[in-house]
Amino acid sequence: MKQHNSRYLPQSSPSDRPSFVSDHRSAMKEIARGQSLVTQLRAIVLPALQADQRCELVAQMFQDILDCSSKAITELQLQHQSDARPEDALVDDKKRVRRISSDDCIKEEGATANPHHQHKRRRSDDLVSLETPVPHYDGRQWRKYGQKHINKAKHPRSYYRCTYSKGQDCKATKTVQQQDESTGTDNPVMYTLVYHGQHTCKDNNGVNSGTDKSETSSDSRSSISTTCTDPCDHQTSLGDNKLIEKSADLVTKSMYEPLDMNPFAPLDLDSWELDTLLRFHLEPDN
DNA sequence: ACGATTTGACCGTC
DNA sequence: GACGGTCAAATCGT
């Protein structure tokens, strides 16, 4: 019998107890778990709220929580990188973290070089990673610009940039990669999200999406129309997606119908994501 | 027609 | 040379 939580939480394995590892590592893991929980909770709560100011406040609070934990992780990573090997990095994308950290002080963001050939490795202090079963419900609009098979990874990595990257020169990007170990029937599909840079854009309603004050604010107002069409993220082909989305759409519609979802209508959590969450939360232990 | 996604090619870093 | 990140033409969806 599995514990209920084990169905949807990134796990801290017993072997990760801090007896042989640094406090940094266990602290970062716990924070990451918290981020994952908040992400999932947000995906459930926001669409169910009435569209009013309280709703916006809730969304803002969710984002603030994520901001806090992200900053905490960043701080821990910076400290950790200075006194430990980078292979203790939070995500399993170890090689990349190592490369980024070595690249850290060499080139700065916004280099005036050719805009089409900016440096490929990015600063680690612009990097925030988290694990979640709902990779696309993060309150942002993203546009996919690439997908690549990563060495030794079963699933391709998808590359997204802010929808407003052109119009507002927003530098925020993110990568989404399905975790290899999440393919079992018992475990939820987990994704590793890595965010780079901060949003400098304003969303559709002219609300600053967050820069220094609050890295990713205004969840409640921005539309979450991130369309997830890459097969890896949905675990299905595009054609299958349509069928799944249709059936799942019935579920989500029946949930949402009583509500006036004005500000959240665009949020429109991908039905498969909500379905995934619901299954993990509602199904009895197996 | 327009915007988003896909995908092969290219480039920088290691 | 391998690898990861980005570009941009082709393709797709609305």
Side-chain angles (χ1 to χ4, degrees):
Chain A
M1 245 344 159
K2 288 185 169 52
Q3 292 207 344
H4 188 72
N5 283 350
S6 68
R7 301 183 63 83
Y8 57 96
L9 288 181
Q11 296 294 294
S12 308
S13 73
S15 60
D16 289 333
R17 297 220 176 93
S19 52
F20 294 101
V21 296
S22 70
D23 290 342
H24 280 96
R25 179 171 176 170
S26 52
M28 287 194 293
K29 280 199 166 189
E30 289 307 309
I31 295 172
R33 285 183 63 209
Q35 281 187 317
S36 179
L37 273 174
V38 171
T39 305
Q40 295 169 67
L41 183 61
R42 179 174 65 179
I44 294 171
V45 169
L46 286 188
L49 286 179
Q50 292 281 2
D52 58 15
Q53 285 187 331
R54 268 186 302 177
C55 183
E56 293 177 23
L57 181 61
V58 169
Q60 180 64 57
M61 291 176 72
F62 272 124
Q63 193 55 55
D64 287 346
I65 293 169
L66 290 173
D67 285 346
C68 287
S69 47
S70 294
K71 285 170 184 169
I73 287 178
T74 301
E75 286 298 318
L76 286 169
Q77 281 178 327
L78 288 175
Q79 291 180 31
H80 192 48
Q81 283 166 7
S82 64
D83 32 86
R85 294 165 305 169
E87 65 198 34
D88 287 332
L90 181 64
V91 291
D92 63 311
D93 199 349
K94 298 162 190 159
K95 186 185 289 183
R96 190 158 138 269
V97 171
R98 183 181 297 119
R99 287 175 180 174
I100 291 172
S101 63
S102 64
D103 190 41
D104 215 1
C105 300
I106 299 175
K107 291 174 182 172
E108 275 301 316
E109 189 178 280
T112 54
N114 186 347
H116 292 293
H117 299 103
Q118 295 173 345
H119 57 281
K120 307 279 183 180
R121 317 288 174 185
R122 290 169 290 198
R123 295 166 53 96
S124 62
D125 53 357
D126 281 343
L127 183 155
V128 175
S129 64
L130 65 91
E131 298 172 355
T132 176
V134 286
H136 300 292
Y137 192 79
D138 58 7
R140 295 291 172 179
Q141 283 185 288
W142 299 99
R143 179 173 173 178
K144 188 174 183 178
Y145 66 89
Q147 175 173 310
K148 202 163 176 53
H149 182 265
I150 301 303
N151 203 25
K152 295 176 184 174
K154 288 180 185 174
H155 309 283
R157 176 177 297 166
S158 298
Y159 298 86
Y160 298 86
R161 65 164 54 97
C162 178
T163 297
Y164 308 112
S165 60
K166 281 189 177 176
Q168 300 183 34
D169 195 32
C170 182
K171 298 287 196 300
T173 64
K174 79 168 180 179
T175 63
V176 176
Q177 185 162 24
Q178 183 176 336
Q179 295 180 356
D180 293 345
E181 64 271 24
S182 62
T183 52
T185 53
D186 279 353
N187 297 321
V189 178
M190 293 297 292
Y191 299 86
T192 298
L193 308 189
V194 180
Y195 293 90
H196 300 272
Q198 295 191 345
H199 287 272
T200 57
C201 59
K202 294 171 183 281
D203 64 20
N204 291 339
N205 291 317
V207 177
N208 192 318
S209 296
T211 51
D212 294 331
K213 290 180 187 173
S214 176
E215 180 188 335
T216 49
S217 62
S218 75
D219 252 4
S220 60
R221 315 272 298 269
S222 65
S223 56
I224 302 180
S225 62
T226 304
T227 51
C228 175
T229 55
D230 51 311
C232 114
D233 291 347
H234 272 169
Q235 299 179 280
T236 66
S237 69
L238 261 175
D240 292 342
N241 262 355
K242 303 251 176 195
L243 293 174
I244 291 173
E245 283 178 359
K246 279 213 167 184
S247 59
D249 210 34
L250 295 174
V251 177
T252 54
K253 268 183 182 162
S254 65
M255 288 183 60
Y256 296 164
E257 259 168 13
L259 301 175
D260 177 9
M261 294 298 297
N262 277 345
F264 287 102
L267 290 176
D268 190 23
L269 172 65
D270 283 348
S271 52
W272 68 273
E273 287 184 301
L274 182 58
D275 195 40
T276 300
L277 274 178
L278 290 175
R279 277 207 314 275
F280 295 141
H281 284 267
L282 297 180
E283 277 181 9
D285 294 351
N286 290 332

